[in-house]
Amino acid sequence: SFEDKILLSDIVFVKTWYKVEVPKFYAAVTNLLMSAETRGKWRGMRTTAQIKRDNNIRNEANQDSLYRPVHREEKVFQPLKVPKSLQEALPYHLKPKKDIKVDPTEGRVAVVLDHKERKIENAFKMLKALHGDKIDKQEADKKKRMKQFLKLKRSEEAAKMNKQKEARRQISRMMTQKKIAAEKKRARGGGKKAGKSADF
């Protein structure tokens, strides 16, 4: 982890690791082969942590591992300089342009209005405000009329759809009645023919 955000201009030293084969060491512990009395008294070699705990020795903190406030000086990068030969080859929209700031108030003379001119300006402001209010009112009335028109249009469309549905129902009812009547007529005609053939 890093103490601060890494910038593109930073140089980072990375400590890499190399796999080292550690020679294996084996020391047989024969305490389990001892008698019950001597086995309870047997103690193995103490670890470094146990020795330090017994002697009340505290580990000194590594100052390099502690987090400290990072004070970074802001870097000022040099502006990009494009060679003239390359500028000529670039299209117009990619060519560097000089920012020329023009102050619109520079060279202007302050105009002081007299009483009559001030009255005229106030009258124009009032007329402009009234015109704006009139336009806003017209827009509101237009929106209201549009809503009413759309509502009427929807109701007319709904009524039209209902009429079409009713007409379809009536047509299907008539078709069904005609079909039933034709089937009955056919059945009667078949019965009469059968009767005539029996008389002969």
Side-chain angles (χ1 to χ4, degrees), residues 19 59 84 92 110 114:
K19 187 176 179 181
N59 290 331
K84 288 186 177 179
Y92 179 76
D114 59 4

Side-chain angles (χ1 to χ4, degrees), residues 103-113:
D103 188 7
T105 60
E106 187 179 357
R108 292 188 179 181
V109 181
V111 179
V112 180
L113 302 176

Side-chain angles (χ1 to χ4, degrees), residues 12 15 21 34 44 58 63 87 92 106 108 111-112 117 125 129 139 142 160 176 197:
V12 181
K15 291 183 179 180
E21 292 186 2
M34 296 178 182
R58 296 188 64 183
Q63 296 297 325
Q87 288 183 23
Y92 179 76
E106 187 179 357
R108 292 188 179 181
V111 179
V112 180
E117 291 174 340
K125 285 181 180 177
E139 288 290 331
K142 185 179 177 182
K160 187 177 178 182
T176 307
S197 61

Side-chain angles (χ1 to χ4, degrees), residues 162-182:
N162 290 333
K163 284 182 180 178
Q164 288 179 356
K165 286 180 181 178
E166 187 63 30
R168 289 196 197 98
R169 286 197 201 98
Q170 289 180 2
I171 290 169
S172 62
R173 199 179 298 118
M174 289 171 63
M175 293 290 288
T176 307
Q177 288 176 358
K178 283 183 180 180
K179 189 175 180 181
I180 293 168

